[in-house]
Amino acid sequence: MISFIAQRIAKAVIVLLALVVLNFFLIRMAPGDPAVVMAGEAGAGDQLFIAQLREKFGLDQPLPVQLFLYVKGILSLDLGFSFRQQMPVSKLILDRLPATLLLTGTAFAISLAFGILFGALAARFAGTWADTAITIAALIFYATPLFWVALMAILLFSVTMDWLPSFGYETVGAGYTGLAHVLDVAAHLVLPATTIGLFFMATYARMTRASMLEVNRLDFVKTARAKGLSDAVIQRRHVLRNALLPVVTLAGLQAGTLVGGAVLTETVFAWPGIGRLMYEALLQRDYNLLLGVFVVCSAMVLAFNLITDLVYRSVDPRIEFAS
Amino acid sequence: MSKRKILISLATMCVLNTAAMAQGPKAGGVVNAVIQPEPPSLMIGLVQNGPTQMVAGNIYEGLLRYSPKLDPLPGLAESWSVSEDGKVYTFKLVKGVTWHDGKPFTSADVLFTIEFLKQTHARARGNLVQLDKVEAPDESTVVFTLKQPFGPFIGIFEVGSLPMIPKHIYEGTDFKTNPANNTPVGTGPFMFKEWQKGSFIRLVKNPNYHVKGKPNIDEIYWHVIPDAAARSVAYETGKVDVLPGGSVENFDVPRLSKLKNTCVTGAGWEFFSPHSWLWLNNRSGPTANKKFRQALMFAIDRNMAKDVVWNGLGKVATGPSGSAIKYYTGAVPKYDYDPAKAKALLKEAGYNGEKVRMLPLPYGETWQRWAEMVRQNLQDVGVNVEMIATDVPGWNQKVSEWDYDIAFTYLYQYGDPALGVGRNYVSSQIAKGSPFNNVEGYSNPEIDKLFADGAVAFPDAAREEIYAKAQKILVEDVPVAWMLELQFPTITRCSVKNLITTGIGVNDGFRDAWIEK
């Protein structure tokens, strides 16, 4: 198993470097550069000003030189310097990472737990009103755009009922500490985490339901019934466990997007996370910062792929570590 | 209600009113405001974008401030005088001013600031070209000597154009990488306290501020909320009290204005006078033809755009100068909405249905709607318009590389035609690579001469005559299609008093503001 992991990590590093080079050129294909953006925002910029900025950012160097310097930095685990924010990229990312992980992690946990629960319920009571209700709800949340759900949630719970805060990570200036602070952050977390969670919850519910119904028809389930096992035990130990394999695949994919996948939600809820950082970096052509976020996201995706494989193995012992 | 009761309640109301009127500025309180987008830095000597100016105007100060009529007011200079020949400006600094770190502010800081800004501040560099030398005969006197009289000189001292920079922090360092850039130190009414990137910036009262009894407010939180709808909601739910101009989409303004305890003002933009126009490519394509450009002016229903897109805010522009800035004249050729005339002019121009590429300004919904409206106007008279979609960096690049036919924009005018108007029309300002010079490529030796003369003419009456002539010629030539004098409404709770007192509005800081309890 260790050699399996080592091999996978070695491959991942190569993939990562390839991604860096690809992203490097993709980003630079977009029109405009950070110097022009900054001159634009200042409402004035003579030639000297723009030239100074380009020189400072190293944008006056030929592209291959820029790439070489960047890759060299990456290899020494240096993500470079943000042109616009005048700070090391790694610091900017590390500052924002916890907020994003909290948000997407919560959403992940909510969606997985409730998705599997509702899916299992729907399968158990297939054909009844409960199944219909769950299926319809899942379909609606699956098909509705996230930002619209977010805005409606804000309208209902913040504006109309005034139960939950509509933006931010905490109540600014309240100076809460200890438990009060935790509760405050939790209150701010509810709307954005649910917004992201609903979509995935719907996916998991649909998949769990379909998968369980399918497994229910298989021979080994019949055997278990014939053995006289109780229905609850059959559903839990035989059906659900086997039905979860496709859900694990999907969860692995979602986990990969935990870092970068919340751009819209973070923007609508003013959540100080990495999704927004990436979006703003894109709009400002802050190349190093944007690349840095890409690198971190890619690394996460690769890491989660590996973890997913390991989880597979524990869910289904038939899968072996062959290379 | 009986008559007596009514009388009593009326009497009580009167008493309450008088009590309210008798209230002077109250000390204390916290103001929550919106800042959008998040500024890259608060070091205003290095970064001059809009959000930076808005927050940093509380931290830093200039030598002068400007009234809504653009008359100079005391700032860090308590008095000033101009020599008779208009070449020597002497400033007396306020005594006893200290930087936020306790070090005294002196004339040496002013001298240092001039050298600092010449290196880092593109606009200040331009404003200071006529400066021959600057001297400090003593600690509280600064003397600027010009090469020749330069009328707009008295107008370049506000905090965004010439912010005072602490010599003791920056002297001998690499300005751009000085760690102090992250903890700005100024002389202003508020001090930098905390910045949680992506969330908020916190400023606190400067207890040693040089104006006695000011500021009144204890703390300001600037909230970073990236989504326009979320900013409206933040105000609606009472989480923020101040939406500076441009914080919310224009179509939200009427709704927010109707909320309880809400005050809206268009004041505070006199100095900047954001002037919007369509950049017409004077070099090539149909827009190179003067008759075609005039046809556009007749074809576009600017009054309707004002009423529908901008909710009636602002004013239809009559020419290159906004009506709030110096030497404006309305005595110029008029272009009222007249599609028939536009069609006739297009025919005269020999327009044969060539495609013209139009670039909207990617600054949100309002600008997108406006572009769609103009496209409709132009299609109505038979102009074949193709809309090009870009994001902000793409827009900057296309405009600065002259890769467009018609492009939306707006620019600040800085109170004087020599500072914010001439740059768009004189041929010396034609240079590829910058989106804020003579992008349209208009070149007219007569205009070049008028603007060159106007900047240095003396006294003011001579300038007035020159600029009147220049405005007339430009309006006849239509190098760009002027649209509106924009007004960005500031929306506040009515309990926030005295927020906007000068011609630069919220950017001048919250030094005079107070909260009614």
Side-chain angles (χ1 to χ4, degrees):
Chain A
M1 182 171 145
I2 288 171
S3 77
F4 166 79
I5 295 178
Q7 257 186 9
R8 284 290 300 268
I9 289 179
K11 277 184 196 162
V13 170
I14 296 169
V15 172
L16 199 58
L17 277 179
L19 281 173
V20 166
V21 175
L22 190 68
N23 285 335
F24 182 89
F25 286 110
L26 274 179
I27 292 173
R28 276 170 173 74
M29 274 163 66
D33 69 32
V36 175
V37 175
M38 285 164 89
E41 286 177 329
D46 48 9
Q47 246 44 25
L48 177 64
F49 180 70
I50 292 179
Q52 275 175 346
L53 286 176
R54 289 228 171 89
E55 193 195 326
K56 191 172 119 202
F57 299 159
L59 296 173
D60 52 345
Q61 305 278 339
L63 215 50
V65 176
Q66 290 182 40
L67 176 65
F68 173 74
L69 290 175
Y70 188 76
V71 172
K72 205 173 109 188
I74 293 286
L75 288 177
S76 55
L77 295 180
D78 173 12
L79 291 179
F81 204 72
S82 160
F83 301 141
R84 184 187 167 83
Q85 313 232 24
Q86 291 295 306
M87 253 188 229
V89 168
S90 51
K91 178 170 169 22
L92 285 165
I93 293 179
L94 283 177
D95 278 354
R96 298 287 190 98
L97 204 52
T100 292
L101 288 179
L102 177 65
L103 174 64
T104 49
T106 311
F108 184 66
I110 294 176
S111 56
L112 207 53
F114 287 96
I116 293 174
L117 177 71
F118 286 128
L121 283 177
R124 180 76 184 76
F125 301 105
T128 67
W129 65 268
D131 175 31
T132 315
I134 290 173
T135 312
I136 289 178
L139 201 62
I140 289 176
F141 287 123
Y142 181 72
T144 316
L146 268 185
F147 70 91
W148 190 81
V149 175
L151 287 174
M152 288 305 117
I154 290 177
L155 265 186
L156 185 60
F157 295 105
S158 300
V159 178
T160 311
M161 302 206 275
D162 198 17
W163 285 357
L164 293 165
S166 64
F167 75 95
Y169 170 83
E170 59 189 338
T171 308
V172 168
Y176 292 131
T177 51
L179 185 64
H181 181 243
V182 172
L183 289 177
D184 184 46
V185 173
H188 282 82
L189 191 58
V190 174
L191 287 182
T194 316
T195 305
I196 305 175
L198 277 176
F199 174 83
F200 285 102
M201 193 195 295
T203 323
Y204 294 140
R206 284 160 55 85
M207 188 156 268
T208 308
R209 177 181 179 276
S211 180
M212 275 182 80
L213 287 179
E214 195 180 311
V215 175
N216 246 320
R217 287 198 300 270
L218 295 181
D219 286 341
F220 72 89
V221 180
K222 288 179 191 153
T223 312
R225 280 210 187 94
K227 277 197 308 192
L229 287 179
S230 80
D231 193 47
V233 173
I234 295 174
Q235 291 296 330
R236 210 174 54 239
R237 297 232 319 248
H238 294 267
V239 180
L240 186 59
R241 186 158 178 177
N242 281 290
L244 278 186
L245 282 176
V247 178
V248 170
T249 314
L250 200 66
L253 289 176
Q254 188 202 347
T257 65
L258 278 182
V259 176
V263 178
L264 262 176
T265 320
E266 286 184 359
T267 303
V268 172
F269 289 99
W271 191 265
I274 217 165
R276 253 172 75 197
L277 192 66
M278 176 167 75
Y279 182 60
E280 280 157 17
L282 173 68
L283 287 187
Q284 292 144 357
R285 301 289 189 270
D286 194 340
Y287 297 144
N288 282 352
L289 181 54
L290 192 57
L291 276 173
V293 179
F294 282 167
V295 168
V296 172
C297 290
S298 311
M300 292 290 238
V301 171
L302 293 169
F304 278 112
N305 273 346
L306 182 57
I307 294 171
T308 311
D309 283 350
L310 297 178
V311 173
Y312 260 136
R313 154 92 205 195
S314 66
V315 176
D316 186 348
R318 287 171 302 179
I319 298 171
E320 283 173 17
F321 292 114
S323 43
Chain B
M1 208 187 265
S2 74
K3 230 179 204 168
R4 208 177 129 233
K5 265 193 184 155
I6 293 176
L7 277 177
I8 291 176
S9 52
L10 274 178
T12 335
M13 267 169 67
C14 289
V15 172
L16 283 177
N17 269 342
T18 339
M21 276 156 65
Q23 267 184 354
K26 284 258 157 87
V30 178
V31 170
N32 289 285
V34 155
I35 188 70
Q36 166 57 32
E38 184 162 26
S41 158
L42 294 178
M43 199 327 176
I44 197 175
L46 296 173
V47 179
Q48 285 90 36
N49 78 1
T52 298
Q53 292 202 31
M54 199 172 278
V55 177
N58 290 288
I59 302 171
Y60 293 92
E61 288 182 296
L63 291 182
L64 299 177
R65 306 166 82 214
Y66 297 90
S67 75
K69 294 231 173 290
L70 306 184
D71 297 322
L73 303 171
L76 282 171
E78 58 183 12
S79 63
W80 55 95
S81 60
V82 187
S83 68
E84 258 178 37
D85 61 359
K87 277 163 63 172
V88 183
Y89 288 67
T90 308
F91 287 81
K92 286 277 172 203
L93 305 180
V94 177
K95 291 204 175 83
V97 177
T98 55
W99 296 98
H100 293 157
D101 60 7
K103 297 272 188 334
F105 163 78
T106 68
S107 53
D109 289 306
V110 183
L111 299 195
F112 175 74
T113 295
I114 300 296
E115 289 316 306
F116 183 102
L117 295 182
K118 272 186 186 167
Q119 292 180 39
T120 60
H121 193 313
R123 202 152 46 76
R125 187 157 51 228
N127 289 347
L128 292 170
V129 281
Q130 299 292 349
L131 185 66
D132 179 31
K133 58 184 177 186
V134 50
E135 298 153 308
D138 63 60
E139 282 224 323
S140 57
T141 310
V142 181
V143 182
F144 294 89
T145 309
L146 306 184
K147 296 174 197 153
Q148 53 187 325
F150 182 54
F153 193 71
I154 196 67
I156 68 163
F157 293 97
E158 56 85 37
V159 57
S161 305
L162 213 70
M164 289 300 128
I165 309 294
K167 179 181 179 183
H168 65 279
I169 289 179
Y170 285 96
E171 192 177 34
T173 69
D174 179 353
F175 303 154
K176 292 179 182 174
T177 57
N178 191 318
N181 293 340
N182 295 322
T183 51
V185 169
T187 58
F190 291 90
M191 305 191 294
F192 174 80
K193 180 79 183 177
E194 189 185 4
W195 185 351
Q196 289 207 2
K197 294 263 162 130
S199 289
F200 65 88
I201 299 167
R202 180 183 173 203
L203 307 182
V204 297
K205 178 177 183 157
N206 173 4
N208 303 316
Y209 189 54
H210 58 89
V211 180
K212 268 264 170 301
K214 288 192 175 163
N216 304 299
I217 289 163
D218 289 337
E219 282 179 87
I220 310 172
Y221 284 97
W222 294 93
H223 297 262
V224 180
I225 307 176
D227 183 67
R231 291 193 289 274
S232 294
V233 168
Y235 181 82
E236 257 182 293
T237 53
K239 299 292 189 297
V240 301
D241 319 304
V242 176
L243 296 171
S247 298
V248 295
E249 291 288 356
N250 251 290
F251 48 74
D252 269 339
V253 171
R255 185 171 60 85
L256 295 176
S257 311
K258 286 191 198 98
L259 294 176
K260 230 173 46 190
N261 187 25
T262 294
C263 290
V264 182
T265 174
W269 289 96
E270 297 82 3
F271 183 81
F272 301 115
S273 290
H275 209 56
S276 74
W277 62 77
L278 304 179
W279 255 322
L280 306 175
N281 199 332
N282 283 224
R283 302 173 186 85
S284 60
T287 43
N289 186 323
K290 176 168 142 185
K291 289 220 161 74
F292 184 89
R293 300 197 300 265
Q294 288 175 334
L296 294 188
M297 287 295 278
F298 285 117
I300 298 169
D301 191 346
R302 299 177 293 162
N303 266 305
M304 186 156 136
K306 187 190 91 178
D307 291 339
V308 175
V309 181
W310 293 91
N311 296 302
L313 294 166
K315 240 169 150 176
V316 171
T318 60
S321 276
S323 56
I325 74 160
K326 285 184 185 154
Y327 315 119
Y328 163 81
T329 173
V332 291
K334 294 275 181 291
Y335 296 93
D336 293 324
Y337 177 54
D338 191 342
K341 211 164 184 177
K343 277 185 192 159
L345 275 166
L346 284 177
K347 207 165 175 191
E348 266 183 64
Y351 174 66
N352 55 10
E354 286 169 79
K355 197 182 277 176
V356 290
R357 295 162 300 158
M358 183 159 82
L359 211 57
L361 193 59
Y363 280 6
E365 289 295 312
T366 305
W367 289 91
Q368 190 62 35
R369 294 294 93 78
W370 198 5
E372 282 160 10
M373 203 163 178
V374 166
R375 177 176 61 180
Q376 186 66 50
N377 280 158
L378 296 184
Q379 283 171 346
D380 285 349
V381 297
V383 178
N384 180 6
V385 182
E386 184 194 16
M387 197 101 98
I388 311 274
T390 59
D391 64 353
V392 175
W395 180 91
N396 276 313
Q397 173 157 336
K398 277 194 184 310
V399 168
S400 51
E401 290 184 356
W402 311 336
D403 179 18
Y404 72 94
D405 295 311
I406 299 176
F408 275 79
T409 191
Y410 74 92
L411 250 67
Y412 287 174
Q413 299 180 81
Y414 302 108
D416 192 292
L419 301 181
V421 178
R423 59 178 170 157
N424 304 303
Y425 308 103
V426 297
S427 26
S428 59
Q429 283 284 324
I430 299 179
K432 233 180 190 165
S434 165
F436 298 99
N437 49 27
N438 182 346
V439 166
E440 75 273 12
Y442 175 73
S443 178
N444 179 346
E446 197 180 357
I447 284 293
D448 291 349
K449 180 155 188 345
L450 286 172
F451 275 107
D453 292 350
V456 297
F458 188 76
D460 286 355
R463 300 191 67 205
E464 182 156 12
E465 200 179 312
I466 290 171
Y467 287 122
K469 206 166 163 193
Q471 288 174 66
K472 215 162 166 183
I473 295 172
L474 284 171
V475 174
E476 173 66 31
D477 273 356
V478 197
V480 303
W482 299 285
M483 304 294 277
L484 294 178
E485 299 179 16
L486 300 177
Q487 212 183 58
F488 300 116
T490 306
I491 303 174
T492 63
R493 306 257 175 247
C494 294
S495 50
V496 180
K497 304 281 184 196
N498 225 14
L499 179 61
I500 291 170
T501 53
T502 70
I504 67 170
V506 178
N507 286 16
D508 210 19
F510 287 36
R511 87 169 216 183
D512 299 329
W514 56 282
I515 304 171
E516 189 177 64
K517 286 178 201 123

